[in-house]
């Protein structure tokens, strides 16, 4: 958790990068993200039915599961990442069923042992927080909540009530990887969210290029990029780390300098 | 015996958060959450609006053709008595929902949901379908109300259910083949959810079974309960008493809960849900209660076919309508409370029952209710002659003749 606070406490906006565990040479891809300048890592837990994801991340899930990736492998990847990168926050992102299958207490315990800083569970809204949230927070793991364009003012307090770590603003009503939202609407949404919380707000969904990332970083505390990186892993397989490092560096450059150029 | 505490009534579920005991709930992404809260609000209003009830009942009577008949299957009853022990062989009655417009019970629910969609001002309809029956029923009501309709169907099901695909297209719906995963019902449902998330502003998702996030399991059950309400009245009128046993096939569980629910507080009425045992419970099957464990998928917590990591395992059944790795949450709860018994029938048993009904009663049933008939064949012989069984004949078999021919080694 303090790792997350540190990452968002830097003098520049944070670059948050998503890849799917077990897809391609994951350990080397994670190293490439860090080397490229990612401030926070989101590691996707593969699931057979990724309902909120677009084609790129769906395929990554299927590739990872096709290679036999197990929950134990996800925790091995996280544990070894923590050993190599003691300071870089790592967040697990995925769907409820693999997280609760052996019991939420078991999952929270594994997260703590592996040095995981936070969890994003896509299909557990605040209404079902009791399923997983209390176990994670008791273990010192942040429960990162999603806010979306459909989260209205009446609902926002409920979303914020169980949110810790940072708030993830999903800038489009839709699945990962496809559309992109207009920067003006993002700016408005972020200021609405920030009026209700002291948590940092990271913005994602549909962010692919350094230009887009830079524009969003002007108005947010962090920018999340997923599908564009996952596609590189899909296209380049064992050769992906170099490509991932290159794109991450360009993204980091745009995100980290966004507020300087604005000032 | 150490049973789960019995509630005062089995008919007042779910609680106000959509839970049936530990099952049900609203496990959806944040984007959908405000929408299903809206739907819940609208449904609560509609339930107490006489105009809604009136329009629903009018369409069921004059468009769907309700009430469906209750039929005493005399020749089937006699056939089963032939090799039953002395004094045994219960009377078999069928609730004939296969005579509905579009040939299955699915239309009851679609009528209710499209009326809700119209009330909510939605202008576009989406649905998932396995066998194509729910897709056809949805395309039908969308045509009837003049709304554009997209039906998601697994590519494998598109392949094996061509006549229904053509029917949907004739009705003006767009059928989108889903190639992801195993390309069957669960993948179609994933894709429908993805569409919905991206089009929440104008789109209504008509879910085809008593599953999904709250309030779907409740409202689908309520719309399908017309089956049990009619059956209860018809049985009382025709036989002068309540039945001893109700039997229904279970895919997601909508026709079964529709028949069972109005009888749940009649302690003398036993109930049997029949899951698809496919090639056998020790091989590929679709029996989530018999071979699964509780988990979260498609917006609700319920019994699921899954592996040791909580990854979902594909179901298998000869019947495309039963080929789903989950089950509606109310059935999971009814199983745990012990109020309803659940069993299963294999592909082969269903095929045998299918042919038996064709020959003894002149009725070609769908493969889904053939599973229920297979269970009736087993239990009727163990019940006394004056006992009354009522089984839900929830669909007709026209759509299945190619599958059956194939299974019997006949070339059409
Ligand atoms: C005729 C028929 N019966 C049963 C089912 C299974 O669904 P449920 O269990 O919701 O009734 C289907 C599904 O397509 C069907 O077409």
């Amino acid at each position: 958790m303090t790792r997350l606070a540190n990452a968002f406490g830097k003098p520049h906006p944070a670059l948050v990068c998503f890849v799917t565990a077990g897809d391609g040479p994951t350990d080397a891809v994670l190293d490439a993200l860090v080397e490229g300048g990612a401030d926070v890592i989101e590691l996707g837990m593969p699931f057979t039915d990724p309902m909120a994801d677009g084609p790129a991340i769906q395929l990554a899930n299927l590739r990872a599961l096709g290679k036999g990736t197990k929950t134990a492998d996800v925790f091995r990847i996280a544990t070894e990442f923590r050993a190599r990168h003691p300071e870089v926050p790592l967040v697990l992102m995925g769907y409820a069923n693999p997280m609760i299958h052996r019991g939420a207490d078991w999952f929270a315990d594994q997260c703590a042992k592996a040095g995981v800083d936070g969890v994003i569970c896509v299909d557990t809204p605040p209404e079902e927080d009791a399923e997983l949230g209390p176990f994670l927070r008791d273990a010192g793991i942040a429960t990162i909540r999603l806010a979306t364009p459909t989260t209205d003012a009446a609902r926002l307090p409920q979303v914020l009530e169980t949110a810790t770590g940072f708030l993830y603003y999903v800038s489009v009503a839709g699945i990962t990887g496809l559309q992109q939202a207009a920067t003006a609407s993002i700016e408005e949404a972020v200021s609405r969210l920030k009026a209700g919380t002291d948590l940092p707000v990271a913005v994602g969904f549909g962010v692919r290029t350094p230009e887009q990332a830079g524009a969003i970083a002007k108005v947010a505390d962090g920018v999340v990029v997923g599908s564009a990186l996952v596609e590189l892993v899909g296209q380049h397989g064992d050769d992906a780390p170099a490509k991932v490092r290159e794109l991450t560096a360009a993204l980091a450059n745009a995100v980290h300098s966004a507020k300087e150029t604005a000032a | 015996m150490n049973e789960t505490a019995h509630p005062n009534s089995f008919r007042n579920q779910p609680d106000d958060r959509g839970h049936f005991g530990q099952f049900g709930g609203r496990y959806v992404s944040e984007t959908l959450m405000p929408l299903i809260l809206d739907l819940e609000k609208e449904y609560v209003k509609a339930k107490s609006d006489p105009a809604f009830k009136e329009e629903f009942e009018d369409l069921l009577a004059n468009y769907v053709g309700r009430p469906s008949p209750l039929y005493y299957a005399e020749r089937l009853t006699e056939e089963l008595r032939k090799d039953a022990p002395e004094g045994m062989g219960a009377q078999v009655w069928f609730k004939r929902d296969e005579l509905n417009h579009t040939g299955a019970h699915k239309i009851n629910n679609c009528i209710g949901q499209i009326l809700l969609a119209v009330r909510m001002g939605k202008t576009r309809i989406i649905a998932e379908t396995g066998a194509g029956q729910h897709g056809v029923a949805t395309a039908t009501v969308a045509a009837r109300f003049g709304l554009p309709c997209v039906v998601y169907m697994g590519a494998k099901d598109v392949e094996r259910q061509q006549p229904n695909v053509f029917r949907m297209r004739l009705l003006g719906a767009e059928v989108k083949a889903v190639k992801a995963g195993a390309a069957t019902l669960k993948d179609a449902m994933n894709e429908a959810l993805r569409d919905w998330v991206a089009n929440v502003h104008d789109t209504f998702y008509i879910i085809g079974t008593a599953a999904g996030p709250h309030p779907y399991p409740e409202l689908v059950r309520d719309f399908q309960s017309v089956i049990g309400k009619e059956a209860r009245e018809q049985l009382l009128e025709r036989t002068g008493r309540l039945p001893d046993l109700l039997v229904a096939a279970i895919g997601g569980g909508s026709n079964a809960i529709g028949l069972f629910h109005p009888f749940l507080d009649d302690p003398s009425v036993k109930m049997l849900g029949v899951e698809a045992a496919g090639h056998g419970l020790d091989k590929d099957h679709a029996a989530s209660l018999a071979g699964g464990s509780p988990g979260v998928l498609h917006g609700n917590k319920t019994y699921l076919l899954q592996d040791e990591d909580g990854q979902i395992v594909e179901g298998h059944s000869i019947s495309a309508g039963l080929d789903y790795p989950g089950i509606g949450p109310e059935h999971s709860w009814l199983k745990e409370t012990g109020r309803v018994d659940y069993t299963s029938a294999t592909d082969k048993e269903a095929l045998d029952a299918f042919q038996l009904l064709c020959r003894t009663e002149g009725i070609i049933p769908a493969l889904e209710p053939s599973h229920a008939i297979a269970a009736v064949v087993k239990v009727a012989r163990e019940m006394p002659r004056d006992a009354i069984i009522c089984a839900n004949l929830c669909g007709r078999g026209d759509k299945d003749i190619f599958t059956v021919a194939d299974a019997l080694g006949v070339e059409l």
Side-chain angles (χ1 to χ4, degrees):
Chain A
M1 276 257 243
T2 47
R3 278 186 289 261
L4 278 174
N6 292 341
F8 284 102
K10 291 180 189 172
H12 55 71
L15 173 64
V16 183
C17 291
F18 173 95
V19 291
T20 300
D23 181 28
T26 305
D27 300 310
V29 168
L30 293 177
D31 291 346
L33 292 174
V34 175
E35 288 155 18
D39 302 289
V40 178
I41 306 292
E42 274 181 21
L43 183 63
M45 289 185 70
F47 184 44
T48 39
D49 295 84
M51 288 151 294
D53 285 298
I57 297 179
Q58 282 175 47
L59 288 172
N61 277 269
L62 294 180
R63 284 193 300 267
L65 292 171
K67 286 193 344 199
T69 305
K70 299 286 182 190
T71 299
D73 298 310
V74 177
F75 283 117
R76 179 203 53 78
I77 290 166
T79 305
E80 293 178 14
F81 176 88
R82 180 54 63 234
R84 295 196 304 281
H85 305 283
E87 302 304 330
V88 182
L90 181 76
V91 168
L92 291 183
M93 179 160 184
Y95 293 83
N97 204 45
M99 295 186 186
I100 62 169
H101 186 65
R102 290 183 175 85
D105 49 348
W106 180 87
F107 182 74
D109 187 51
Q110 292 294 302
C111 285
K113 284 189 180 132
V116 168
D117 301 282
V119 168
I120 304 172
C121 184
V122 178
D123 53 349
T124 304
E127 280 78 358
E128 303 295 347
D129 181 67
E131 192 70 58
L132 188 61
F135 300 91
L136 290 169
R137 290 189 293 272
D138 283 354
I141 313 290
T143 48
I144 295 150
R145 290 248 162 252
L146 306 176
T148 71
T150 60
T151 312
D152 58 21
R155 181 168 170 72
L156 187 59
Q158 198 181 355
V159 171
L160 293 172
E161 192 184 315
T162 51
T164 53
F166 65 94
L167 192 64
Y168 186 152
Y169 179 62
V170 173
S171 63
V172 287
I175 51 179
T176 54
L178 301 179
Q179 321 86 327
Q180 57 174 95
T183 315
S185 75
I186 294 176
E187 182 166 16
E188 193 190 306
V190 171
S191 58
R192 188 164 58 83
L193 297 174
K194 292 193 79 83
T197 180
D198 295 332
L199 291 173
V201 177
V203 176
F205 273 48
V207 187
R208 306 187 59 88
T209 65
E211 292 70 36
Q212 292 170 333
I216 292 172
K218 286 194 196 335
V219 300
D221 303 310
V223 181
V224 188
V225 179
S227 296
L229 294 162
V230 165
E231 278 167 20
L232 287 179
V233 177
Q235 279 161 21
H236 299 284
D238 286 344
D239 300 326
K243 306 279 181 191
V244 166
R245 191 181 307 112
E246 203 179 310
L247 176 59
T248 308
L251 290 164
N253 191 33
V255 168
H256 292 165
S257 62
K259 283 184 177 150
E260 292 161 23
T261 49
Chain B
M1 222 175 83
N2 195 1
E3 279 182 42
T4 317
H6 271 201
N8 295 329
S9 169
F10 288 94
R11 303 188 62 230
N12 56 14
Q13 302 287 317
D15 67 17
D16 56 6
R17 290 163 54 240
H19 290 110
F20 303 84
Q22 65 154 316
F23 301 106
R26 297 177 277 215
Y27 296 85
V28 296
S29 62
E30 176 59 28
T31 310
L32 289 181
M33 210 43 228
L35 201 79
I36 65 168
L37 292 171
D38 263 6
L39 173 60
E40 184 187 345
K41 244 190 266 159
E42 195 58 43
Y43 181 55
V44 168
K45 268 195 259 162
K47 266 199 291 197
S48 57
D49 178 354
F52 182 82
K53 190 164 179 267
E54 198 177 306
E55 195 171 6
F56 180 61
E57 287 174 356
D58 178 72
L59 284 163
L60 286 185
N62 301 310
Y63 187 66
V64 175
R66 302 206 72 94
S68 67
L70 176 76
Y71 171 68
Y72 175 45
E74 193 176 349
R75 293 226 327 129
L76 177 64
T77 300
E78 288 309 324
E79 183 66 25
L80 299 179
R81 281 176 179 168
K82 279 184 190 158
D83 50 4
E86 183 70 31
M88 305 299 254
Q91 296 175 28
V92 181
W93 296 68
F94 286 116
K95 181 61 177 159
R96 301 221 29 208
D97 256 53
E98 100 279 17
L99 294 176
N100 293 340
H101 181 40
T102 72
H105 67 292
K106 297 284 177 187
I107 190 92
N108 303 329
N109 165 48
C110 291
I111 296 275
Q113 288 200 47
I114 198 129
L115 289 176
L116 283 178
V118 170
R119 277 178 79 99
M120 292 177 78
K122 301 293 179 186
T123 54
R124 176 175 175 267
I125 300 296
I126 59 169
E128 85 296 339
T129 195
Q133 286 306 104
H134 174 60
V136 167
T138 305
T140 297
V141 297
R144 167 65 182 72
F145 283 84
L147 297 179
C149 174
V150 175
V151 179
Y152 290 94
M153 189 169 187
K156 195 171 135 196
D157 291 333
V158 168
E159 206 54 45
R160 57 180 174 173
Q161 304 285 341
Q162 275 299 323
N164 271 345
V165 173
F166 185 55
R167 267 180 206 118
M168 288 184 263
R169 293 197 169 131
L170 284 174
L171 291 161
E174 183 186 349
V175 180
K176 288 197 179 168
V178 179
K179 294 189 190 73
T184 59
L185 180 56
K186 114 182 142 66
D187 308 289
M189 195 146 180
N190 291 335
E191 208 55 34
L193 285 164
R194 290 181 188 119
D195 178 315
W196 200 24
V197 145
N199 296 292
V200 278
H201 56 287
D202 68 352
T203 297
F204 192 99
Y205 180 13
I206 298 190
I207 293 186
T209 192
H214 178 64
Y216 280 101
E218 177 186 349
L219 64 87
V220 175
R221 174 199 73 200
D222 292 349
F223 295 143
Q224 290 294 2
S225 288
V226 65
I227 301 172
K229 281 183 208 148
E230 287 175 8
R232 200 168 184 287
E233 261 177 47
Q234 290 167 321
L235 281 158
L236 283 172
E237 191 187 308
R238 302 266 302 279
T239 70
R241 65 183 185 87
L242 289 171
D244 298 281
L245 179 69
L246 303 173
V247 185
I250 295 194
S254 69
N255 87 84
I257 201 72
L259 176 66
F260 296 169
H261 197 260
F263 293 91
L264 283 174
D265 286 338
D266 297 309
S268 69
V269 181
K270 292 201 165 65
M271 299 175 201
L272 185 60
V274 187
E275 297 188 291
H279 299 312
L281 289 180
D282 55 345
K283 303 190 184 76
D284 286 346
H285 64 81
S288 339
L289 290 177
S293 56
V296 170
L297 180 69
H298 293 152
N300 60 158
K301 188 179 210 188
T302 191
Y303 274 79
L304 301 173
L305 299 180
Q306 52 184 327
D307 71 8
E308 72 285 355
D309 271 349
Q311 304 293 351
I312 307 304
V313 175
E314 286 296 331
H316 163 79
S317 169
I318 188 170
S319 145
L322 303 184
D323 203 347
Y324 178 67
I327 181 169
E330 193 158 16
H331 287 290
S332 293
W333 178 74
L334 288 168
K335 173 197 158 81
E336 290 213 339
T337 57
R339 177 62 185 96
V340 176
D341 289 322
Y342 294 88
T343 183
S344 60
T346 63
D347 289 353
K348 173 152 193 328
E349 289 166 333
L351 270 172
D352 290 347
F354 175 99
Q355 295 171 81
L356 179 66
L357 197 72
C358 290
R359 287 193 314 262
T360 55
E361 296 291 347
I363 298 173
I364 302 178
L367 280 169
E368 292 83 13
S370 296
H371 287 71
I373 300 163
V376 167
V377 167
K378 280 190 206 166
V379 299
R381 294 186 172 112
E382 294 157 8
M383 293 169 68
R385 290 170 82 97
D386 60 356
I388 292 172
I389 298 176
C390 177
N392 201 3
L393 199 48
C394 59
R396 62 173 178 243
D398 310 40
K399 70 180 173 65
D400 291 319
I401 54 172
F402 300 102
T403 307
V404 172
D406 194 46
L408 299 178
V410 177
E411 240 182 81
L412 292 186

